[in-house]
Amino acid sequence: MSRADSTFEWSDQDRRAVDAVRALAMDAVEEAGSGHPGTAMSLAPAAYLLFQRFLRHDPTDPHWPGRDRFVLSCGHSSLTLYIQLYLSGYPMTLDDLKSLRKWGSLTPGHPEFGHTAGVETTTGPLGQGIANAVGMAMAARRERGLFDPDAPQGESPFDHTVWAFASDGDVQEGISHEASALAAHQRLGNLVLLWDDNRISIEDDTAIAMSEDVRARYAAYGWDVHHVDWTENGDYEENVAALAAAFAAAKAETSRPSFIALRTIIGWPAPNKKNTGKAHGSALGADEVAATKRILGLDPAETFHVADDVLAHARGVCERGRAAHAEWNTTFEAWRSANPERAAEYDRIAARALPSDWEAAVPGFEAGKDIATRAASGQILAALAPVLPELWGGSADLADSNNTTMKGEPSFIPEEFQTKEFPGGRYGRTLHFGVREHAMAAICNGIALHGGTRPYGGTFLVFSDYMRPAVRLAALMKLPVTFVWTHDSIGLGEDGPTHQPVEHLWALRAIPGLDVVRPGDANETAVAWRTILGHTDRPAGLALTRQKLPTFDRGGELASAEGTAKGGYVLADADGGRPDVIIIATGSEVQLALEARDALQAEGTPTRVVSMPCVEWFEAQTDAYRQEVLPPGVRARVSVEAGVALGWRTFIGDAGEAVSLEHFGASADYKTLFLQFGITSERVVAAAKASLIRAGVRHAGRGETTGN
């Protein structure tokens, strides 16, 4: 034992509190009839030590900005967090623990952000929490750079530590590699990750699928690596002092992230089920619970019991937390007094409010000039940089393709890693995620969860598949993250079917709470960005073109792009305002819809074109507005989108026709692809005529359809 260990005090009440944690974990899972008791039992000393001695938090104010952040990446072990919240004095009761995994409880099967006080993120899919923690650590550094860049290390009110617990499953998931490699590259010295090395998963011994040296892996990334082995003496000894020393050393390390490998035995000290897969994911059973309680010196007849003196001892962290909070307030108020302009900006950003004149910075685009919507988006981001300092982001190694680099803004990177192409520093603004789409999305979630800034991340639309679990969680948590997805159709051309998204738009639209926005020209892109940034309660994905599109002249018969904010609007109405047929289009296909309208009206068919850049925004409008745009009496309808038609039947009805792509693309220039696959104005005209016939419109032409 080191000298630091020798001064460590671990009282009998601390030991009893840890045993109470184990008993509560067993009882809660028995009561629920399902759950994960084993990890909560073996991690009990580590979690209790962290919440009592190292985590800077105030249970009476879970949203205190100066708090440390704690992320339980192994969300299946939700009791590891819930029980510490209860013992620490958060708004959590024994009755809540008794209601584990039940309807309406504060203790769902996996922790949920916004549902339970003290829960910093929603974790369920393994590895997500590791990436969230990386994002939080990055956000903390960026926030410090915005508001207090010159303060000495550890003396700013914006300095705090991000702590995370992870399981074997977390470090097995590929996202953990992506996020951990980037964390080391970014030198995130405010991040501490504890790995519960218990070597058990649902399929029992992890040796069946896992043999790599995880500590060596993290050392190779460049992390500060510590090892605490509670089995090293041939018996099981919970050397809490050794773990405390590792925590202290990790917190003191500010030049790189720290990794603590803690060797435990899952389910300790259950006599028959410890160190088995059965302890991982199911109730231990009444007999095993009783036997374990006897080993702990507890009364098997008592359930959900915590001795009054033990609870009072644990609740002492409330007083310590309030004291730390008060001390922080003094520092924070001193900073506010010395930096009134920065303080005003901080207050605005903390409230997720936008400056009163920010929309004036969003550029408009000259009619008649062809520009890809990805390029328009890049110009918009550059224009927003001076007025929205909280907005920052980058791409997964696709800066030039995604147009996600704000012009002239330095990169967020330790100085030693800046390049000629991308100069910057630790407080920079342009993010470089590398080819790590999955981690990028989850890191953006972590940035949004931390607060203080607002992130975006870009890649090709086809690679949204790599991001989907994190995108789904962004929607579940209602986070204002913007995903910039470019190369949005076969229009990207020669890269071929591996890079051409076909099913992706509707697959993403299927995620509840995600706004998928596919603007039809540069000015729709501008309104889309304005609308997205005006929303603070949900994520959005922008689907943008590689190929240039015409910027529509809206001074005549075409409506203003402001209709974009409503998701769908009448871009061009029929002669006389009473259409026989409605063409609904998105993105690059809006121009085809307008060409088809010209042809149909020249033949005497009154035709309306509806641009629908965002289905979700349109469906959020009033019934009256939606019926005004899509009158129920007009049954002849055509949808036009260069992807699968999957969800368009909702809008075109039983008489409608879908001009779509029901197969993969090919490698050729985009004009050839659109022609060969029938995504043309001529096909739209034919589809309109077919729909008119099906709808029984008098005097409708014979029309014809063309196949895919």
Side-chain angles (χ1 to χ4, degrees):
M1 183 180 292
S2 68
R3 288 185 179 180
D5 297 340
S6 65
T7 62
F8 178 78
E9 295 183 3
W10 190 249
S11 70
D12 183 62
Q13 284 180 314
D14 291 323
R15 181 193 60 77
R16 290 168 61 208
V18 169
D19 288 344
V21 171
R22 292 187 167 106
L24 289 173
M26 291 187 291
D27 290 342
V29 175
E30 288 298 312
E31 178 71 20
S34 65
H36 298 77
T39 299
M41 294 168 68
S42 53
L43 275 182
Y48 180 79
L49 175 67
L50 179 65
F51 272 74
Q52 291 288 317
R53 308 287 179 89
F54 288 93
L55 186 72
R56 185 171 71 176
H57 63 126
D58 180 358
T60 65
D61 185 1
H63 302 293
W64 167 31
R67 72 193 183 280
D68 286 351
R69 307 302 199 266
F70 173 70
V71 174
L72 183 71
S73 192
C74 42
H76 57 274
S77 185
S78 56
L79 286 164
T80 294
L81 176 54
Y82 295 153
I83 296 172
Q84 294 308 319
L85 295 179
Y86 162 68
L87 289 179
S88 298
Y90 285 82
M92 175 77 66
T93 68
L94 281 176
D95 284 340
D96 292 320
L97 297 178
K98 292 177 183 177
S99 298
L100 177 73
R101 302 169 72 94
K102 294 179 181 176
W103 175 263
S105 75
L106 293 177
T107 50
H110 293 78
E112 296 179 17
F113 171 73
H115 182 74
T116 306
V119 172
E120 300 281 7
T121 181
T122 298
T123 50
L126 292 173
Q128 292 287 326
I130 293 177
N132 291 166
V134 172
M136 290 176 184
M138 292 168 67
R141 192 170 90 197
R142 171 65 181 164
E143 185 180 44
R144 191 190 204 274
L146 282 175
F147 300 117
D148 201 20
D150 300 322
Q153 178 64 42
E155 297 182 19
S156 170
F158 299 98
D159 288 334
H160 55 264
T161 303
V162 179
W163 304 84
F165 281 9
S167 63
D168 291 312
D170 288 287
V171 298
Q172 287 179 50
E173 287 285 0
I175 189 175
S176 73
H177 158 68
E178 295 181 26
S180 298
L182 187 59
H185 188 69
Q186 284 289 350
R187 303 286 196 256
L188 297 177
N190 56 348
L191 174 63
V192 180
L193 173 63
L194 179 143
W195 167 44
D196 177 28
D197 175 20
N198 65 44
R199 306 182 189 182
I200 292 293
S201 63
I202 291 176
E203 294 185 0
D204 205 77
D205 194 326
T206 57
I208 197 67
M210 181 183 182
S211 56
E212 73 267 25
D213 186 335
V214 177
R215 281 184 285 146
R217 170 183 151 196
Y218 273 81
Y221 292 145
W223 287 59
D224 165 44
V225 176
H226 302 263
H227 185 215
V228 179
D229 187 350
W230 287 347
T231 69
E232 63 184 348
N233 294 326
D235 199 359
Y236 194 66
E237 178 189 356
E238 291 178 332
N239 188 342
V240 183
L243 181 58
F247 277 164
K251 184 175 175 63
E253 173 59 68
T254 59
S255 63
R256 52 184 173 157
S258 294
F259 182 81
I260 300 171
L262 175 64
R263 177 69 172 103
T264 67
I265 291 179
I266 195 170
W268 181 266
N272 302 301
K273 293 189 177 180
K274 67 177 182 286
N275 206 32
T276 69
K278 298 299 183 184
H280 174 93
S282 60
L284 298 182
D287 291 344
E288 186 76 354
V289 170
T292 306
K293 287 183 178 180
R294 291 189 189 98
I295 291 171
L296 295 172
L298 303 176
D299 184 353
E302 289 183 331
T303 60
F304 294 98
H305 175 73
V306 181
D308 291 342
D309 65 318
V310 169
L311 185 60
H313 177 70
R315 292 277 167 90
V317 75
C318 272
E319 184 177 346
R320 296 191 294 274
R322 284 194 296 267
H325 193 164
E327 182 180 350
W328 180 87
N329 282 343
T330 299
T331 305
F332 185 61
E333 290 304 320
W335 169 81
R336 293 183 69 89
S337 297
N339 301 275
E341 291 185 3
R342 283 179 174 170
E345 192 81 299
Y346 171 85
D347 291 341
R348 177 187 67 77
I349 295 172
R352 288 183 174 174
L354 294 164
S356 58
D357 59 347
W358 78 278
E359 291 184 336
V362 180
F365 294 87
E366 182 182 351
K369 183 178 180 181
D370 290 356
I371 180 172
T373 53
R374 64 167 176 164
S377 174
Q379 293 182 34
I380 293 161
L381 284 171
L384 288 172
V387 297
L388 296 180
E390 65 267 36
L391 185 63
W392 66 314
S395 74
D397 197 50
L398 290 167
D400 289 344
S401 293
N402 293 152
N403 295 104
T404 49
T405 301
M406 293 175 170
K407 187 176 181 179
E409 292 293 330
S411 293
F412 179 87
I413 193 73
E415 287 78 3
E416 64 265 35
F417 293 135
Q418 62 183 321
T419 65
K420 181 180 178 180
E421 184 71 20
F422 290 104
R426 51 188 286 105
Y427 295 142
R429 188 172 194 173
T430 300
L431 286 166
H432 301 275
F433 294 99
V435 188
R436 302 182 179 103
E437 291 90 352
H438 195 180
M440 175 179 69
I443 286 169
C444 284
N445 289 351
I447 291 171
L449 286 160
H450 179 275
T453 59
R454 183 162 180 174
Y456 63 85
T459 187
F460 292 171
L461 179 58
V462 75
F463 299 136
S464 64
D465 283 342
Y466 283 163
M467 304 166 64
R468 190 177 180 88
V471 172
R472 183 177 185 272
L473 284 169
L476 186 62
M477 291 187 276
K478 302 180 180 179
L479 301 178
V481 177
T482 304
F483 304 106
V484 181
W485 291 314
T486 67
H487 297 57
D488 67 339
S489 74
I490 56 171
L492 69 89
E494 292 84 352
D495 276 345
T498 60
H499 283 53
Q500 293 167 4
V502 175
E503 75 278 22
H504 297 72
L505 288 168
W506 277 111
L508 290 163
R509 287 170 182 148
I511 298 176
L514 174 68
D515 297 337
V516 180
V517 192
R518 189 172 186 243
D521 76 345
N523 286 310
E524 281 196 0
T525 307
V527 178
W529 264 113
R530 277 177 24 214
T531 307
I532 288 168
L533 292 173
H535 296 157
T536 61
D537 61 348
R538 56 192 186 274
L542 274 166
L544 305 172
T545 67
R546 177 198 188 195
Q547 74 273 27
K548 292 182 178 180
L549 303 181
T551 302
F552 301 131
D553 183 354
R554 297 172 184 270
E557 63 178 358
L558 300 189
S560 165
E562 293 299 320
T564 301
K566 293 187 174 181
Y569 66 103
V570 178
L571 173 61
D573 213 348
D575 289 342
R578 298 182 64 181
D580 282 349
V581 63
I582 299 172
I583 303 173
I584 308 167
T586 77
S588 54
E589 290 72 74
V590 173
Q591 61 179 314
L592 302 181
L594 291 173
E595 292 171 7
R597 170 183 174 271
D598 290 343
L600 287 163
Q601 295 216 142
E603 296 176 1
T605 302
T607 305
R608 170 180 291 183
V609 170
V610 170
S611 176
M612 193 173 290
C614 183
V615 167
E616 294 79 18
W617 294 347
F618 182 71
E619 291 185 327
Q621 305 305 312
T622 64
D623 288 343
Y625 176 79
R626 286 185 281 118
Q627 290 177 21
E628 180 183 334
V629 174
L630 300 175
V634 182
R635 295 179 58 237
R637 300 180 184 184
V638 178
S639 64
V640 192
E641 188 169 71
V644 297
L646 190 64
W648 284 118
R649 185 60 60 186
T650 300
F651 299 95
I652 62 176
D654 58 353
E657 287 279 330
V659 175
S660 63
L661 196 68
E662 303 300 327
H663 52 75
F664 294 121
S667 182
D669 68 274
Y670 78 91
K671 291 181 180 179
T672 298
L673 292 174
F674 276 92
L675 179 64
Q676 290 296 322
F677 293 144
I679 311 295
T680 64
S681 59
E682 292 80 8
R683 183 169 172 220
V684 176
V685 170
K689 291 178 178 179
S691 183
L692 284 161
I693 293 172
R694 186 176 293 114
V697 177
R698 295 183 63 187
H699 311 301
R702 288 299 302 164
E704 59 180 296
T705 60
T706 57
N708 267 350

